[in-house]
Amino acid sequence: MEPRPVIPPRVAGHATALPGGDLPAYVHDLTALAGDAAEVRAALPPETELYYAAKANPAPEVLRALAPHVSGYEVSSGGELAHVRKAVPGLPLAFGGPGKTEPELRLALRLGAERIHVESENELRLLAALAAERPGEAPVDILLRVNLPAGDGELGGAALAMGGRPSPFGLDPRRAEACLPLLRGTRLRLRGIHAHLASGLGAPALLAVAARVTAWARALGERHGLGLDEVNVGGGMAVDYARPHARFDWTAYGAGLARLAAEHPGLRLRVEPGRALTAHSGWYVTEVLDVKHSHGEAFAVVRGGTHHLRTPAAKGHDQPFAVLPTDAWERPWPRPAALDEPVTLSGQLCTPKDVLARAVPVAELRAGDRIAFAMAGAYAWNISHHDFLMHPAPTFHFLS
Ligand SMILES: *Cc1c(COP(=O)(O)O)cnc(C)c1O
């Protein structure tokens, strides 16, 4: 493991000052978030549109802090659609996801989602039928989501692959071609192609995907005499939990997109990262309840656990953390402690899977010390199984 994450002073100050009754606490550093988003925006070519994939962290405070830096939001359910529209009214929404229901599509039409990413022929026919019920309204702008085959080894490094192989996501490229005749006479307007093939990729792999999707979209447009000028190349920019200081190489990625745009005049490129925008600015702060040694190994049991922060269990990593030592120990008996040894940080759940970090060397860790888990700003609280065991929910703090 790399050196511990450096906890920014304002987060450390807040985490230390929180009353014990407020722990565990999610602390989101909105200033750091805005800084990260501004850097990403600055690295991308000006004409590339940056959308934020809301499912990574849909907290309204997060959505609003990103608003000055993004062109819009990608939403993947009717719930997200209504929530994001309300939190950041007036900013464009792209509605994707497999298995959209008729009420969800009706909601998208009613709320005027700026783009709908169509994932199957069935969905296309349903959307066309719903749009036909609204004759006075503007045409509905859509992208076809396509599951293109991956180049050799291209998605090998991915943490999650949604495409590039058989999957329920998007259209097989041949089926996408077969969709085109279905558009005739409908109130749907095909603006381009969407592809989100995998999450957890580095800049070279994502640039290769972007180039292939763009070439495919352009060729499709030419074969059918369509001006398909929009290409949404998805999200999936990697975050590395083993290296909390590292960032996705936005500079290289932006330079690559600029080259791609130069090769395809008139192209409107869009990217929609989730985790890479919000992961680094979120913290999960808690305290050590107990330290014990079991069969020669040290365990620190913290308040809370994977029912609040499921990310390390779901992804199989150690969540990076900083220790905030506290000197107060008011009990009349010795303070349980681990000294200069590897410690496993587990939670309060009655399952051996409730582990936040495994066998991580620490200089000292004592009952009552506070722990700030880093990189807890994406796919954290909102993917966790909150109700298991009925422990209290964390408190939430947004520092601006
Ligand atoms: C989840 C998702 C994203 C964002 O993925 P990250 O790995 O968080 O960047 C973008 N687009 C689509 C269609 C998604 O499903």
Side-chain angles (χ1 to χ4, degrees):
M1 195 148 156
E2 268 215 348
R4 286 289 144 68
V6 174
I7 177 164
R10 69 181 161 270
V11 176
H14 191 84
T16 310
L18 276 175
D22 280 1
L23 299 177
Y26 267 103
V27 179
H28 214 121
D29 183 349
L30 298 180
T31 305
L33 172 63
D36 287 349
E39 266 181 41
V40 170
R41 177 62 270 180
L44 296 171
E47 61 280 11
T48 301
E49 293 178 9
L50 173 63
Y51 274 48
Y52 169 56
K55 76 172 183 292
N57 186 334
E61 293 84 352
V62 166
L63 298 174
R64 284 195 289 266
L66 287 170
H69 310 285
V70 300
S71 309
Y73 299 81
E74 190 267 346
V75 295
S76 292
S77 72
E80 282 191 349
L81 185 62
H83 170 82
V84 179
R85 191 53 115 202
K86 186 157 166 248
V88 278
L91 281 168
L93 301 183
F95 179 30
K100 300 181 196 72
T101 64
E102 181 176 328
E104 285 180 314
L105 289 171
R106 284 187 190 280
L107 180 71
L109 297 181
R110 195 165 72 245
L111 295 183
E114 279 68 12
R115 292 291 179 275
I116 298 180
H117 298 164
V118 173
E119 302 224 5
S120 77
E121 281 157 271
N122 179 51
E123 189 174 287
L124 185 69
R125 289 178 196 269
L126 175 57
L127 186 61
L130 300 178
E133 295 172 6
R134 304 161 46 95
E137 304 285 333
V140 178
D141 286 318
I142 66 166
L143 303 185
L144 293 179
R145 179 174 181 178
V146 181
N147 175 8
L148 288 185
D152 266 355
E154 199 169 82
L155 305 184
L160 285 177
M162 271 64 68
R165 61 176 190 192
S167 94
F169 302 100
L171 286 144
D172 181 281
R174 273 169 314 202
R175 304 312 305 175
E177 193 116 19
C179 278
L180 299 180
L182 301 178
L183 287 163
R184 266 183 231 124
T186 69
R187 306 190 46 73
L188 308 182
R189 185 162 60 186
L190 179 63
R191 304 299 297 261
I193 295 297
H194 171 252
H196 170 73
L197 298 187
S199 274
L201 293 176
L206 278 178
L207 284 171
V209 168
R212 222 155 26 70
V213 172
T214 303
W216 187 86
R218 283 278 148 137
L220 180 76
E222 277 160 24
R223 276 200 301 283
H224 295 270
L226 300 164
L228 298 181
D229 61 348
E230 281 185 33
V231 180
N232 181 330
V233 294
M237 295 72 183
V239 305
D240 187 348
Y241 291 88
R243 297 191 306 139
H245 305 288
R247 291 289 191 277
F248 178 81
D249 191 348
W250 288 102
T251 307
Y253 187 63
L257 290 186
R259 286 193 299 274
L260 188 59
E263 285 163 21
H264 297 277
L267 175 69
R268 192 167 160 192
L269 266 178
R270 193 173 296 142
V271 298
E272 47 180 25
R275 71 193 71 225
L277 286 174
T278 56
H280 293 92
S281 44
W283 297 80
Y284 177 65
V285 180
T286 186
E287 64 178 340
V288 177
L289 295 174
D290 207 349
V291 179
K292 59 178 90 173
H293 288 81
S294 173
H295 298 273
E297 289 183 22
F299 291 83
V301 183
V302 303
R303 192 183 289 281
T306 54
H307 53 307
H308 294 165
L309 178 62
R310 190 168 164 266
T311 327
K315 295 181 61 73
H317 62 241
D318 295 324
Q319 196 72 23
F321 63 89
V323 178
L324 300 165
T326 43
D327 287 329
W329 175 254
E330 276 144 25
R331 317 261 187 225
W333 54 82
R335 192 172 180 179
L339 268 182
D340 211 9
E341 60 187 315
V343 179
T344 292
L345 277 66
S346 59
Q348 291 176 285
L349 303 183
C350 306
T351 157
K353 298 196 170 169
D354 190 20
V355 170
L356 296 159
R358 199 176 292 280
V360 178
V362 296
E364 184 180 46
L365 193 57
R366 303 160 301 173
D369 284 338
R370 291 191 176 184
I371 302 275
F373 288 98
M375 300 181 76
Y379 304 102
W381 167 248
N382 67 321
I383 64 154
S384 305
H385 42 294
H386 309 150
D387 292 336
F388 186 44
L389 261 92
M390 302 177 74
H391 286 293
T395 59
F396 292 85
H397 309 260
F398 296 91
L399 310 184
S400 44

